[in-house]
PDB file of all heavy atoms in Angstrom:
ATOM      1  N   ILE A   1       6.235  -2.406  -9.045  1.00  0.00           N
ATOM      2  CA  ILE A   1       4.911  -3.003  -8.906  1.00  0.00           C
ATOM      3  C   ILE A   1       4.137  -2.872 -10.224  1.00  0.00           C
ATOM      4  O   ILE A   1       4.056  -1.787 -10.798  1.00  0.00           O
ATOM      5  CB  ILE A   1       4.102  -2.322  -7.778  1.00  0.00           C
ATOM      6  CG1 ILE A   1       4.889  -2.367  -6.454  1.00  0.00           C
ATOM      7  CG2 ILE A   1       2.748  -2.981  -7.607  1.00  0.00           C
ATOM      8  CD1 ILE A   1       4.191  -1.642  -5.317  1.00  0.00           C
ATOM      9  N   HIS A   2       3.545  -3.963 -10.674  1.00  0.00           N
ATOM     10  CA  HIS A   2       2.742  -3.928 -11.893  1.00  0.00           C
ATOM     11  C   HIS A   2       1.396  -3.275 -11.622  1.00  0.00           C
ATOM     12  O   HIS A   2       0.831  -3.409 -10.530  1.00  0.00           O
ATOM     13  CB  HIS A   2       2.529  -5.350 -12.423  1.00  0.00           C
ATOM     14  CG  HIS A   2       2.049  -5.392 -13.843  1.00  0.00           C
ATOM     15  ND1 HIS A   2       0.726  -5.287 -14.186  1.00  0.00           N
ATOM     16  CD2 HIS A   2       2.738  -5.518 -15.014  1.00  0.00           C
ATOM     17  CE1 HIS A   2       0.598  -5.348 -15.512  1.00  0.00           C
ATOM     18  NE2 HIS A   2       1.800  -5.483 -16.033  1.00  0.00           N
ATOM     19  N   ARG A   3       0.860  -2.590 -12.618  1.00  0.00           N
ATOM     20  CA  ARG A   3      -0.394  -1.864 -12.430  1.00  0.00           C
ATOM     21  C   ARG A   3      -1.538  -2.794 -12.045  1.00  0.00           C
ATOM     22  O   ARG A   3      -2.462  -2.401 -11.325  1.00  0.00           O
ATOM     23  CB  ARG A   3      -0.756  -1.046 -13.678  1.00  0.00           C
ATOM     24  CG  ARG A   3      -1.128  -1.848 -14.905  1.00  0.00           C
ATOM     25  CD  ARG A   3      -1.528  -0.952 -16.085  1.00  0.00           C
ATOM     26  NE  ARG A   3      -2.801  -0.303 -15.846  1.00  0.00           N
ATOM     27  CZ  ARG A   3      -2.938   0.993 -15.559  1.00  0.00           C
ATOM     28  NH1 ARG A   3      -1.886   1.778 -15.436  1.00  0.00           N
ATOM     29  NH2 ARG A   3      -4.129   1.500 -15.375  1.00  0.00           N
ATOM     30  N   ARG A   4      -1.495  -4.059 -12.495  1.00  0.00           N
ATOM     31  CA  ARG A   4      -2.564  -4.989 -12.137  1.00  0.00           C
ATOM     32  C   ARG A   4      -2.613  -5.230 -10.631  1.00  0.00           C
ATOM     33  O   ARG A   4      -3.681  -5.480 -10.071  1.00  0.00           O
ATOM     34  CB  ARG A   4      -2.385  -6.313 -12.889  1.00  0.00           C
ATOM     35  CG  ARG A   4      -2.539  -6.204 -14.392  1.00  0.00           C
ATOM     36  CD  ARG A   4      -2.984  -7.520 -15.009  1.00  0.00           C
ATOM     37  NE  ARG A   4      -2.033  -8.604 -14.754  1.00  0.00           N
ATOM     38  CZ  ARG A   4      -1.054  -8.960 -15.588  1.00  0.00           C
ATOM     39  NH1 ARG A   4      -0.874  -8.296 -16.717  1.00  0.00           N
ATOM     40  NH2 ARG A   4      -0.262  -9.969 -15.304  1.00  0.00           N
ATOM     41  N   VAL A   5      -1.465  -5.158  -9.993  1.00  0.00           N
ATOM     42  CA  VAL A   5      -1.422  -5.322  -8.542  1.00  0.00           C
ATOM     43  C   VAL A   5      -2.085  -4.133  -7.857  1.00  0.00           C
ATOM     44  O   VAL A   5      -2.889  -4.301  -6.935  1.00  0.00           O
ATOM     45  CB  VAL A   5       0.038  -5.469  -8.054  1.00  0.00           C
ATOM     46  CG1 VAL A   5       0.099  -5.445  -6.538  1.00  0.00           C
ATOM     47  CG2 VAL A   5       0.654  -6.739  -8.603  1.00  0.00           C
ATOM     48  N   VAL A   6      -1.767  -2.931  -8.298  1.00  0.00           N
ATOM     49  CA  VAL A   6      -2.360  -1.740  -7.698  1.00  0.00           C
ATOM     50  C   VAL A   6      -3.872  -1.736  -7.906  1.00  0.00           C
ATOM     51  O   VAL A   6      -4.637  -1.367  -7.009  1.00  0.00           O
ATOM     52  CB  VAL A   6      -1.720  -0.465  -8.276  1.00  0.00           C
ATOM     53  CG1 VAL A   6      -2.303   0.777  -7.607  1.00  0.00           C
ATOM     54  CG2 VAL A   6      -0.203  -0.496  -8.102  1.00  0.00           C
ATOM     55  N   GLN A   7      -4.301  -2.178  -9.081  1.00  0.00           N
ATOM     56  CA  GLN A   7      -5.733  -2.240  -9.352  1.00  0.00           C
ATOM     57  C   GLN A   7      -6.427  -3.258  -8.458  1.00  0.00           C
ATOM     58  O   GLN A   7      -7.569  -3.064  -8.047  1.00  0.00           O
ATOM     59  CB  GLN A   7      -5.965  -2.567 -10.825  1.00  0.00           C
ATOM     60  CG  GLN A   7      -5.588  -1.445 -11.770  1.00  0.00           C
ATOM     61  CD  GLN A   7      -5.539  -1.872 -13.225  1.00  0.00           C
ATOM     62  OE1 GLN A   7      -5.331  -3.049 -13.546  1.00  0.00           O
ATOM     63  NE2 GLN A   7      -5.735  -0.914 -14.130  1.00  0.00           N
ATOM     64  N   LYS A   8      -5.738  -4.345  -8.150  1.00  0.00           N
ATOM     65  CA  LYS A   8      -6.326  -5.411  -7.330  1.00  0.00           C
ATOM     66  C   LYS A   8      -6.221  -5.123  -5.842  1.00  0.00           C
ATOM     67  O   LYS A   8      -7.199  -5.266  -5.095  1.00  0.00           O
ATOM     68  CB  LYS A   8      -5.629  -6.739  -7.643  1.00  0.00           C
ATOM     69  CG  LYS A   8      -6.150  -7.917  -6.839  1.00  0.00           C
ATOM     70  CD  LYS A   8      -5.425  -9.201  -7.215  1.00  0.00           C
ATOM     71  CE  LYS A   8      -5.997 -10.401  -6.456  1.00  0.00           C
ATOM     72  NZ  LYS A   8      -5.304 -11.664  -6.824  1.00  0.00           N
ATOM     73  N   VAL A   9      -5.056  -4.702  -5.390  1.00  0.00           N
ATOM     74  CA  VAL A   9      -4.788  -4.539  -3.964  1.00  0.00           C
ATOM     75  C   VAL A   9      -5.193  -3.157  -3.468  1.00  0.00           C
ATOM     76  O   VAL A   9      -5.570  -2.974  -2.310  1.00  0.00           O
ATOM     77  CB  VAL A   9      -3.290  -4.806  -3.682  1.00  0.00           C
ATOM     78  CG1 VAL A   9      -2.932  -4.518  -2.232  1.00  0.00           C
ATOM     79  CG2 VAL A   9      -2.941  -6.243  -4.040  1.00  0.00           C
ATOM     80  N   GLY A  10      -5.116  -2.164  -4.356  1.00  0.00           N
ATOM     81  CA  GLY A  10      -5.477  -0.809  -3.988  1.00  0.00           C
ATOM     82  C   GLY A  10      -4.270   0.076  -3.728  1.00  0.00           C
ATOM     83  O   GLY A  10      -3.119  -0.334  -3.906  1.00  0.00           O
ATOM     84  N   LEU A  11      -4.537   1.291  -3.322  1.00  0.00           N
ATOM     85  CA  LEU A  11      -3.498   2.265  -3.042  1.00  0.00           C
ATOM     86  C   LEU A  11      -3.028   2.150  -1.591  1.00  0.00           C
ATOM     87  O   LEU A  11      -3.619   1.450  -0.780  1.00  0.00           O
ATOM     88  CB  LEU A  11      -4.027   3.676  -3.302  1.00  0.00           C
ATOM     89  CG  LEU A  11      -4.621   3.939  -4.698  1.00  0.00           C
ATOM     90  CD1 LEU A  11      -5.152   5.366  -4.776  1.00  0.00           C
ATOM     91  CD2 LEU A  11      -3.601   3.684  -5.784  1.00  0.00           C
ATOM     92  N   VAL A  12      -1.953   2.845  -1.291  1.00  0.00           N
ATOM     93  CA  VAL A  12      -1.411   2.864   0.068  1.00  0.00           C
ATOM     94  C   VAL A  12      -2.435   3.484   1.020  1.00  0.00           C
ATOM     95  O   VAL A  12      -3.192   4.393   0.651  1.00  0.00           O
ATOM     96  CB  VAL A  12      -0.100   3.683   0.087  1.00  0.00           C
ATOM     97  CG1 VAL A  12       0.426   3.851   1.507  1.00  0.00           C
ATOM     98  CG2 VAL A  12       0.952   3.009  -0.789  1.00  0.00           C
ATOM     99  N   LYS A  13      -2.469   2.990   2.268  1.00  0.00           N
ATOM    100  CA  LYS A  13      -3.362   3.574   3.278  1.00  0.00           C
ATOM    101  C   LYS A  13      -2.753   4.906   3.715  1.00  0.00           C
ATOM    102  O   LYS A  13      -1.889   4.962   4.588  1.00  0.00           O
ATOM    103  CB  LYS A  13      -3.524   2.627   4.466  1.00  0.00           C
ATOM    104  CG  LYS A  13      -4.524   3.130   5.509  1.00  0.00           C
ATOM    105  CD  LYS A  13      -4.790   2.094   6.577  1.00  0.00           C
ATOM    106  CE  LYS A  13      -5.694   2.629   7.681  1.00  0.00           C
ATOM    107  NZ  LYS A  13      -7.008   3.104   7.189  1.00  0.00           N
ATOM    108  N   ARG A  14      -3.252   5.979   3.123  1.00  0.00           N
ATOM    109  CA  ARG A  14      -2.613   7.279   3.281  1.00  0.00           C
ATOM    110  C   ARG A  14      -2.707   7.837   4.689  1.00  0.00           C
ATOM    111  O   ARG A  14      -1.864   8.632   5.114  1.00  0.00           O
ATOM    112  CB  ARG A  14      -3.232   8.275   2.297  1.00  0.00           C
ATOM    113  CG  ARG A  14      -4.723   8.457   2.426  1.00  0.00           C
ATOM    114  CD  ARG A  14      -5.253   9.408   1.369  1.00  0.00           C
ATOM    115  NE  ARG A  14      -6.706   9.420   1.327  1.00  0.00           N
ATOM    116  CZ  ARG A  14      -7.410  10.164   0.474  1.00  0.00           C
ATOM    117  NH1 ARG A  14      -6.769  10.967  -0.362  1.00  0.00           N
ATOM    118  NH2 ARG A  14      -8.720  10.124   0.479  1.00  0.00           N
ATOM    119  N   GLU A  15      -3.736   7.434   5.458  1.00  0.00           N
ATOM    120  CA  GLU A  15      -3.902   7.978   6.805  1.00  0.00           C
ATOM    121  C   GLU A  15      -2.760   7.593   7.743  1.00  0.00           C
ATOM    122  O   GLU A  15      -2.567   8.209   8.784  1.00  0.00           O
ATOM    123  CB  GLU A  15      -5.230   7.496   7.415  1.00  0.00           C
ATOM    124  CG  GLU A  15      -6.464   7.903   6.643  1.00  0.00           C
ATOM    125  CD  GLU A  15      -6.878   6.843   5.625  1.00  0.00           C
ATOM    126  OE1 GLU A  15      -6.027   5.997   5.269  1.00  0.00           O
ATOM    127  OE2 GLU A  15      -8.046   6.866   5.205  1.00  0.00           O
ATOM    128  N   MET A  16      -1.991   6.571   7.389  1.00  0.00           N
ATOM    129  CA  MET A  16      -0.936   6.099   8.280  1.00  0.00           C
ATOM    130  C   MET A  16       0.224   7.086   8.395  1.00  0.00           C
ATOM    131  O   MET A  16       1.017   6.998   9.321  1.00  0.00           O
ATOM    132  CB  MET A  16      -0.428   4.732   7.819  1.00  0.00           C
ATOM    133  CG  MET A  16      -1.379   3.607   8.160  1.00  0.00           C
ATOM    134  SD  MET A  16      -0.675   1.990   7.792  1.00  0.00           S
ATOM    135  CE  MET A  16      -1.435   0.991   9.070  1.00  0.00           C
ATOM    136  N   PHE A  17       0.358   7.974   7.457  1.00  0.00           N
ATOM    137  CA  PHE A  17       1.369   9.022   7.462  1.00  0.00           C
ATOM    138  C   PHE A  17       2.777   8.467   7.257  1.00  0.00           C
ATOM    139  O   PHE A  17       3.446   8.755   6.287  1.00  0.00           O
ATOM    140  CB  PHE A  17       1.290   9.867   8.747  1.00  0.00           C
ATOM    141  CG  PHE A  17       2.064  11.152   8.669  1.00  0.00           C
ATOM    142  CD1 PHE A  17       1.568  12.225   7.946  1.00  0.00           C
ATOM    143  CD2 PHE A  17       3.278  11.305   9.314  1.00  0.00           C
ATOM    144  CE1 PHE A  17       2.269  13.423   7.865  1.00  0.00           C
ATOM    145  CE2 PHE A  17       3.997  12.495   9.240  1.00  0.00           C
ATOM    146  CZ  PHE A  17       3.485  13.544   8.509  1.00  0.00           C
ATOM    147  N   LEU A  18       3.269   7.662   8.171  1.00  0.00           N
ATOM    148  CA  LEU A  18       4.557   6.985   8.022  1.00  0.00           C
ATOM    149  C   LEU A  18       4.625   5.847   9.032  1.00  0.00           C
ATOM    150  O   LEU A  18       3.782   5.723   9.909  1.00  0.00           O
ATOM    151  CB  LEU A  18       5.732   7.943   8.222  1.00  0.00           C
ATOM    152  CG  LEU A  18       6.207   8.286   9.649  1.00  0.00           C
ATOM    153  CD1 LEU A  18       7.554   8.973   9.568  1.00  0.00           C
ATOM    154  CD2 LEU A  18       5.228   9.167  10.366  1.00  0.00           C
ATOM    155  N   TRP A  19       5.660   4.992   8.880  1.00  0.00           N
ATOM    156  CA  TRP A  19       5.907   3.881   9.810  1.00  0.00           C
ATOM    157  C   TRP A  19       4.712   2.939   9.930  1.00  0.00           C
ATOM    158  O   TRP A  19       3.986   2.955  10.914  1.00  0.00           O
ATOM    159  CB  TRP A  19       6.304   4.393  11.189  1.00  0.00           C
ATOM    160  CG  TRP A  19       7.653   4.993  11.239  1.00  0.00           C
ATOM    161  CD1 TRP A  19       8.697   4.751  10.395  1.00  0.00           C
ATOM    162  CD2 TRP A  19       8.101   5.966  12.173  1.00  0.00           C
ATOM    163  NE1 TRP A  19       9.775   5.506  10.752  1.00  0.00           N
ATOM    164  CE2 TRP A  19       9.439   6.269  11.843  1.00  0.00           C
ATOM    165  CE3 TRP A  19       7.514   6.612  13.261  1.00  0.00           C
ATOM    166  CZ2 TRP A  19      10.197   7.173  12.553  1.00  0.00           C
ATOM    167  CZ3 TRP A  19       8.262   7.509  13.968  1.00  0.00           C
ATOM    168  CH2 TRP A  19       9.593   7.788  13.623  1.00  0.00           C
ATOM    169  N   GLY A  20       4.528   2.136   8.948  1.00  0.00           N
ATOM    170  CA  GLY A  20       3.473   1.135   8.984  1.00  0.00           C
ATOM    171  C   GLY A  20       2.765   0.969   7.667  1.00  0.00           C
ATOM    172  O   GLY A  20       2.211  -0.097   7.370  1.00  0.00           O
ATOM    173  N   ASP A  21       2.750   2.010   6.846  1.00  0.00           N
ATOM    174  CA  ASP A  21       2.063   1.926   5.559  1.00  0.00           C
ATOM    175  C   ASP A  21       2.683   0.866   4.655  1.00  0.00           C
ATOM    176  O   ASP A  21       1.986   0.148   3.940  1.00  0.00           O
ATOM    177  CB  ASP A  21       2.069   3.283   4.860  1.00  0.00           C
ATOM    178  CG  ASP A  21       3.456   3.882   4.730  1.00  0.00           C
ATOM    179  OD1 ASP A  21       4.081   4.161   5.770  1.00  0.00           O
ATOM    180  OD2 ASP A  21       3.925   4.069   3.596  1.00  0.00           O
ATOM    181  N   GLU A  22       4.030   0.752   4.689  1.00  0.00           N
ATOM    182  CA  GLU A  22       4.691  -0.239   3.843  1.00  0.00           C
ATOM    183  C   GLU A  22       4.391  -1.655   4.331  1.00  0.00           C
ATOM    184  O   GLU A  22       4.189  -2.584   3.521  1.00  0.00           O
ATOM    185  CB  GLU A  22       6.205   0.018   3.782  1.00  0.00           C
ATOM    186  CG  GLU A  22       6.993  -0.278   5.045  1.00  0.00           C
ATOM    187  CD  GLU A  22       6.738   0.690   6.179  1.00  0.00           C
ATOM    188  OE1 GLU A  22       6.225   1.803   5.946  1.00  0.00           O
ATOM    189  OE2 GLU A  22       7.050   0.324   7.327  1.00  0.00           O
ATOM    190  N   ARG A  23       4.344  -1.839   5.653  1.00  0.00           N
ATOM    191  CA  ARG A  23       4.011  -3.156   6.211  1.00  0.00           C
ATOM    192  C   ARG A  23       2.560  -3.515   5.913  1.00  0.00           C
ATOM    193  O   ARG A  23       2.237  -4.662   5.591  1.00  0.00           O
ATOM    194  CB  ARG A  23       4.258  -3.119   7.719  1.00  0.00           C
ATOM    195  CG  ARG A  23       4.047  -4.441   8.435  1.00  0.00           C
ATOM    196  CD  ARG A  23       4.945  -5.532   7.948  1.00  0.00           C
ATOM    197  NE  ARG A  23       6.353  -5.164   7.961  1.00  0.00           N
ATOM    198  CZ  ARG A  23       7.320  -5.940   7.494  1.00  0.00           C
ATOM    199  NH1 ARG A  23       7.017  -7.106   6.968  1.00  0.00           N
ATOM    200  NH2 ARG A  23       8.566  -5.541   7.533  1.00  0.00           N
ATOM    201  N   GLU A  24       1.675  -2.533   6.001  1.00  0.00           N
ATOM    202  CA  GLU A  24       0.261  -2.782   5.709  1.00  0.00           C
ATOM    203  C   GLU A  24       0.075  -3.203   4.256  1.00  0.00           C
ATOM    204  O   GLU A  24      -0.712  -4.106   3.955  1.00  0.00           O
ATOM    205  CB  GLU A  24      -0.553  -1.518   6.022  1.00  0.00           C
ATOM    206  CG  GLU A  24      -2.052  -1.734   6.130  1.00  0.00           C
ATOM    207  CD  GLU A  24      -2.778  -1.661   4.800  1.00  0.00           C
ATOM    208  OE1 GLU A  24      -2.242  -1.030   3.865  1.00  0.00           O
ATOM    209  OE2 GLU A  24      -3.881  -2.239   4.692  1.00  0.00           O
ATOM    210  N   TYR A  25       0.823  -2.569   3.351  1.00  0.00           N
ATOM    211  CA  TYR A  25       0.692  -2.939   1.940  1.00  0.00           C
ATOM    212  C   TYR A  25       1.244  -4.348   1.709  1.00  0.00           C
ATOM    213  O   TYR A  25       0.680  -5.124   0.921  1.00  0.00           O
ATOM    214  CB  TYR A  25       1.431  -1.932   1.055  1.00  0.00           C
ATOM    215  CG  TYR A  25       0.861  -1.841  -0.340  1.00  0.00           C
ATOM    216  CD1 TYR A  25      -0.310  -1.129  -0.579  1.00  0.00           C
ATOM    217  CD2 TYR A  25       1.469  -2.471  -1.411  1.00  0.00           C
ATOM    218  CE1 TYR A  25      -0.862  -1.045  -1.848  1.00  0.00           C
ATOM    219  CE2 TYR A  25       0.929  -2.398  -2.691  1.00  0.00           C
ATOM    220  CZ  TYR A  25      -0.227  -1.685  -2.908  1.00  0.00           C
ATOM    221  OH  TYR A  25      -0.775  -1.615  -4.171  1.00  0.00           O
ATOM    222  N   LEU A  26       2.302  -4.697   2.396  1.00  0.00           N
ATOM    223  CA  LEU A  26       2.859  -6.037   2.280  1.00  0.00           C
ATOM    224  C   LEU A  26       1.859  -7.083   2.759  1.00  0.00           C
ATOM    225  O   LEU A  26       1.696  -8.142   2.136  1.00  0.00           O
ATOM    226  CB  LEU A  26       4.157  -6.126   3.086  1.00  0.00           C
ATOM    227  CG  LEU A  26       5.004  -7.382   2.896  1.00  0.00           C
ATOM    228  CD1 LEU A  26       5.477  -7.507   1.456  1.00  0.00           C
ATOM    229  CD2 LEU A  26       6.200  -7.347   3.836  1.00  0.00           C
ATOM    230  N   PHE A  27       1.165  -6.806   3.855  1.00  0.00           N
ATOM    231  CA  PHE A  27       0.137  -7.726   4.336  1.00  0.00           C
ATOM    232  C   PHE A  27      -0.963  -7.902   3.292  1.00  0.00           C
ATOM    233  O   PHE A  27      -1.501  -9.003   3.122  1.00  0.00           O
ATOM    234  CB  PHE A  27      -0.463  -7.209   5.646  1.00  0.00           C
ATOM    235  CG  PHE A  27       0.350  -7.539   6.864  1.00  0.00           C
ATOM    236  CD1 PHE A  27       0.716  -6.539   7.758  1.00  0.00           C
ATOM    237  CD2 PHE A  27       0.742  -8.839   7.132  1.00  0.00           C
ATOM    238  CE1 PHE A  27       1.463  -6.838   8.888  1.00  0.00           C
ATOM    239  CE2 PHE A  27       1.482  -9.152   8.262  1.00  0.00           C
ATOM    240  CZ  PHE A  27       1.844  -8.142   9.146  1.00  0.00           C
TER     241      PHE A  27
END
């Protein structure tokens, strides 16, 4: 992932713990 994407989209939703955080980031 390019840093410009992280700056635009943000960080992973950490509260999700597991199972769903990757799908949420894809959305």
Side-chain angles (χ1 to χ4, degrees):
I1 305 177
H2 196 275
R3 68 178 290 107
R4 295 206 300 266
V5 172
V6 182
Q7 290 168 335
K8 180 179 183 179
V9 175
L11 305 178
V12 174
K13 184 173 175 58
R14 58 183 170 181
E15 300 92 341
M16 284 187 148
F17 194 76
L18 82 167
W19 289 336
D21 53 297
E22 71 290 342
R23 184 61 53 184
E24 196 274 337
Y25 206 78
L26 190 62
F27 278 128

